[in-house]
Each structure stands twice: as C-alpha cells, then as structure tokens.
Amino acid sequence: MPQLSDLPLSVLDLCPITEGGTIAQALHNTLELAQHAEALGYNRYWLAEHHNIPSVASSATAVVIGQVAAATRRMRIGSGGIMLPNHAPLVIAEQFGTLESLFPGRIDLGLGRAPGSDQLTARALRRHLGDEDTAFPQQLEELRHYLSEPVPGQKLIAIPGAGLHIPIWLLGSAGFSAQLAGQLGLPFAFAAQFAPDNALRALAIYRQSFVPSGVLDKPYAMVGINVVAADSDEEAHYLATSHQQAFLHLIRGKPTALPAPTHHIDSLWLPHERAAVNGQLRATFVGTRESLPAQIDDFLQQTQADEFIVNSAIHDPAARRHSYTLLKRLAHG
C-alpha cells in the first residue's frame, strides 16, 4: 500500500491573477513560490497553458518555465501542460529543446490534447479544430520524432531539440490520453483537481494498457489534487472559498480573476451550483496538519498514485506558500 510519507510531491501552478492584483504580481508570485517549493524539497514544478482566462497568467508557458528554471537550481520544471493541438510540433521541440539546453536534466514536457481555451480563442491560436482523437497521436509522433536522434539524410531537424530526449508526459482528464500513454509506455498525469469522477477509470485504463518501453518498464501515474492547508480548519475553509468562487464563475460562463476569500460563500450560490462546484472540486483537501493526512491518504489508497501534483488556488501569496509548507511537513515530517 502506498504511503503519503513515501510519495513525491510536486507543484502545479496556473500563475493565478488575483482580484485586485496585476499580471506582473502574479508572475512574481510564481517565482517566489517556485523558490519556496524547491527549498521545501518538492519534486517538480509545472506550469499550465490556458488562454483568455482572467485568472491565469501562464499562457506563454514556455517563457514562464524558462524564468522559473532560471530562478531555481535543482527542482524539475515543466509544463502541466502544453496543449499540443495549439502549436506546431516543431515549435514545441525547439522551445523545449532550448529550455533543456539551458537547464539540462531539469525540464519536463507534459502534453495535453485540449485547447486550454474556448473555441474562439482556439481559432485565434490558428488551431485546427478537427478530430482530436486522430490528430493528437499524429502530432505526438511528429514531436517525438523531432526530439529523437536525427537519422542519416533527415532534412528537417529541430535545432535545438533533436537528440535531447526530453521526458514527455501525457496529461488527461478522461480515458483517451490514459490509453495512449499506456500503449506508448509513457508516464501519465491525471487531472483529478478538476475531473475527479473520471480518475479511477482513467488510471485503470492506463495501467491495463501499459506496454513497457525505453522510457518506463512499469506504469507511473501522477495525480493532480487541490490542497488548502492552514493553521486552523476554519482558516483553511475560508481560504478555500477563493477556488470555489472561481469555479462558480466558470460554470456561470463569467470567469474572473481569482476572488478574495469570503465568510459568506453560501450566500453566493444556488443549491445546484454548490453541488456542481463541490462535485468538480471533490479532489480538494482542506484543513490542518492534523486533519489533512487522513483525507489525502484515503484518496491515495483509491488512486494508488505514484506522485501527487498539488494545486493551491489561494488568493494571498503568503498564505499559499504557507499551505505548501504545511503540506510538505505533514507528508514528510
């Protein structure tokens, strides 16, 4: 049985733009959090690609990864993820080849097949709105080709990128990417932080379809969760209302910057909205060093995760850093 004390912990950061804050502050907060997470011993630090969302400052994901890698020394830095259908595979190979050349042995390339945006934004990105189930494996194969050793006579080479063998992860919130990751023998990251209902099925598909490869000899599954830790349960639940409000605005089709927390969350939503938000955020663990371990351990036993990657959508950056501090202490003493 996996134990939380033995599990690697990593950070998922969407560079939250907070209500009353600026994009510059959001990016500065990311650099501070990354340095803090490295000092605490977190395993990796991933940044997510989203577009046209008022609360997310990491849309130019490769650029932010470079800044975070430059501000840290040892921790792995990567994407959670790059939405591959938004980009030409050659461009991604060159971008991440550049990052790997600057920060050798520290770069992860996590890939998703969703647009990370609405359809209007996807078109503005010049993304082909075709059959993702067909296009994504082809794009992935092309990208892996560019990152492999060039063969004699190869006319199109990613410079930099070719031969660097940057670790590729597939990300998903359902079964398609899980099965593809298993068939290719790649590590898989599941987004339980917003799609908890699909987690166990997708992880089972990944493990059942896994074929050993030159990358992995057995499955490796990282699971995304939300954690809000504080010095009291009351404070933790108060801080967690920022994320709840953000999802409430999303389901209403009116996304905003990450709201300040509130003591009156129940006055803001209707019963069906509360059920929808809490259902989508079911893999959210809120509490203290005393109350959190049992919550998280139960989810660990259900998922049998090899690693947790943790999102903490907390409005105050100091409280956010403190949450990651408490989580690391409760997990590893």
Side-chain angles (χ1 to χ4, degrees):
M1 300 289 283
Q3 300 295 317
L4 184 58
S5 59
D6 300 324
L7 204 71
L9 291 177
S10 294
V11 175
L12 176 63
D13 185 5
L14 278 67
C15 295
I17 305 167
T18 58
E19 185 179 71
T22 67
I23 294 172
Q25 288 170 337
L27 294 167
H28 177 77
N29 292 338
T30 280
L31 297 179
E32 280 197 336
L33 179 60
Q35 292 171 330
H36 185 71
E38 181 172 73
L40 291 169
Y42 278 86
N43 190 40
R44 66 185 89 239
Y45 195 103
W46 279 10
L47 296 127
E49 177 188 351
H50 291 281
H51 300 278
N52 197 29
I53 297 179
S55 62
V56 178
S58 54
S59 54
T61 314
V63 176
V64 184
I65 288 171
Q67 293 297 307
V68 172
T72 54
R73 295 184 179 181
R74 301 175 303 278
M75 188 168 51
R76 298 195 66 86
I77 312 296
S79 57
I82 291 291
M83 300 298 109
L84 183 55
N86 292 343
H87 310 280
L90 178 61
V91 173
I92 298 304
E94 291 171 340
Q95 288 178 350
F96 278 77
T98 301
L99 290 168
E100 176 65 20
S101 298
L102 289 168
F103 310 103
R106 295 183 55 208
I107 300 299
D108 294 328
L109 176 50
L111 298 168
R113 68 188 186 99
S117 64
D118 54 73
Q119 288 203 341
L120 178 65
T121 309
R123 291 190 182 94
L125 290 164
R126 306 297 190 267
R127 177 176 174 270
H128 174 64
L129 301 179
D131 184 354
E132 291 178 354
D133 290 356
T134 301
F136 183 75
Q138 295 173 345
Q139 292 172 314
L140 177 61
E141 181 180 1
E142 183 181 349
L143 175 59
R144 295 182 78 194
H145 169 71
Y146 290 136
L147 293 175
S148 300
E149 295 287 349
V151 299
Q154 181 175 331
K155 294 184 178 180
L156 180 56
I157 299 174
I159 304 172
L164 294 182
H165 301 286
I166 299 162
I168 288 177
W169 294 65
L170 295 194
L171 282 57
S173 58
F176 182 89
S177 292
Q179 184 173 37
L180 183 60
Q183 292 170 343
L184 296 175
L186 296 174
F188 176 60
F190 184 82
Q193 73 272 12
F194 65 80
D197 291 344
N198 298 331
L200 299 186
R201 176 178 174 272
L203 291 168
I205 290 172
Y206 171 60
R207 291 166 178 142
Q208 291 164 6
S209 62
F210 186 83
V211 177
S213 68
V215 177
L216 290 175
D217 58 6
K218 61 181 181 179
Y220 192 93
M222 181 163 64
V223 177
I225 60 175
N226 303 300
V227 175
V228 179
D231 294 326
S232 71
D233 285 315
E234 181 182 17
E235 181 187 6
H237 283 280
Y238 169 68
L239 295 174
T241 62
S242 290
H243 202 189
Q244 291 173 314
Q245 291 177 80
F247 264 78
L248 176 62
H249 294 153
L250 279 176
I251 65 173
R252 288 176 173 173
K254 298 177 180 179
T256 65
L258 183 66
T262 176
H263 290 292
H264 307 289
I265 185 69
D266 285 332
S267 69
L268 300 180
W269 49 25
L270 297 172
H272 72 279
E273 292 174 326
R274 175 179 180 173
V277 170
N278 289 340
Q280 202 161 0
L281 296 180
R282 189 164 51 80
T284 298
F285 307 103
V286 181
T288 65
R289 290 183 64 182
E290 292 71 34
S291 61
L292 277 170
Q295 300 176 51
I296 299 175
D297 187 66
D298 180 65
F299 192 67
L300 173 58
Q301 301 314 319
Q302 291 179 51
T303 60
Q304 298 290 295
D306 297 294
E307 184 171 344
F308 278 147
I309 186 163
V310 180
N311 175 50
S312 294
I314 296 172
H315 184 270
D316 177 57
R320 189 173 181 227
R321 292 192 297 272
H322 187 53
S323 179
Y324 280 107
T325 299
L326 294 175
L327 174 62
K328 199 68 167 65
R329 287 175 182 170
L330 72 86
H332 300 132

